[in-house]
Amino acid sequence: MHDKVFINLPVKNLPASMQFYRALGYEFNPAFTDETAACMIVSDHIYVMLLTHEKFAGFTPRPIADATRSTEVLIGLDCESRTAVDALVHKAVDAGGSTVRPPEDHGFMYQHGYQDLDGHIWELIHLTEAAAAG
C-alpha cells in the first residue's frame, strides 16, 4: 500500500543533529534540506525529517514532547547482524548519544538501542534467519 516512510522528528539544534547522524553514517538529501529541516536517508524507502522546533510546530497544534523526559515513539530498525547492531550503538554513543538499557538477546532476536541528542529512542534489532523468514 505504501512505498516510502517519512518519520518527522523535532530537534533543538539542527546542525548538531545532522553532525550526530553523519557520524553514524547517514547522508542527507540536499533537495529537502535547509536551515529549518534536513532529510536524512535511512534507506531507499525510509527517510527521517529532522525539523527545528519552530518548523515542527507548524505541522501540529499540540505541544512538542520533550523526548528526554517522556517517550512518545520508539523507532525500530533492523540490522544485518548482531555486530552491526552493536557497532551502530557504539557510533551513537561516541557521537554524543546514550544507551537506554543493556542489549537483550531473546534467542530469535537481538536488540539494543540508543538515544539521540534530543532523546529520541532508536531500537536496533537483528532477527535470526528463522525468525526473519516468519
Side-chain angles (χ1 to χ4, degrees), residues 5-105:
V5 174
F6 290 86
I7 299 166
N8 296 281
L9 295 177
V11 298
K12 293 176 184 163
N13 182 325
L14 184 59
S17 292
M18 291 176 69
Q19 181 178 352
F20 173 81
Y21 285 109
R22 279 191 179 108
L24 275 63
Y26 295 106
E27 296 182 11
F28 293 87
N29 182 336
F32 300 107
T33 300
D34 62 21
E35 63 280 347
T36 65
C39 179
M40 183 172 78
I41 303 165
V42 177
S43 74
D44 290 341
H45 300 283
I46 304 170
Y47 305 89
V48 176
M49 294 300 301
L50 303 175
L51 306 170
T52 63
H53 278 223
E54 182 177 294
K55 180 84 164 190
F56 190 91
F59 294 105
T60 178
R62 296 181 180 182
I64 297 172
D66 181 350
T68 63
R69 297 177 34 157
S70 61
T71 302
E72 182 181 29
V73 66
L74 298 172
I75 304 162
L77 297 174
D78 70 318
C79 295
E80 63 190 32
S81 67
R82 292 172 60 117
T83 303
V85 168
D86 292 336
L88 192 52
V89 170
H90 289 302
K91 283 182 183 180
V93 170
D94 289 348
S98 61
T99 59
V100 180
R101 62 179 179 270
E104 296 178 10
D105 188 342

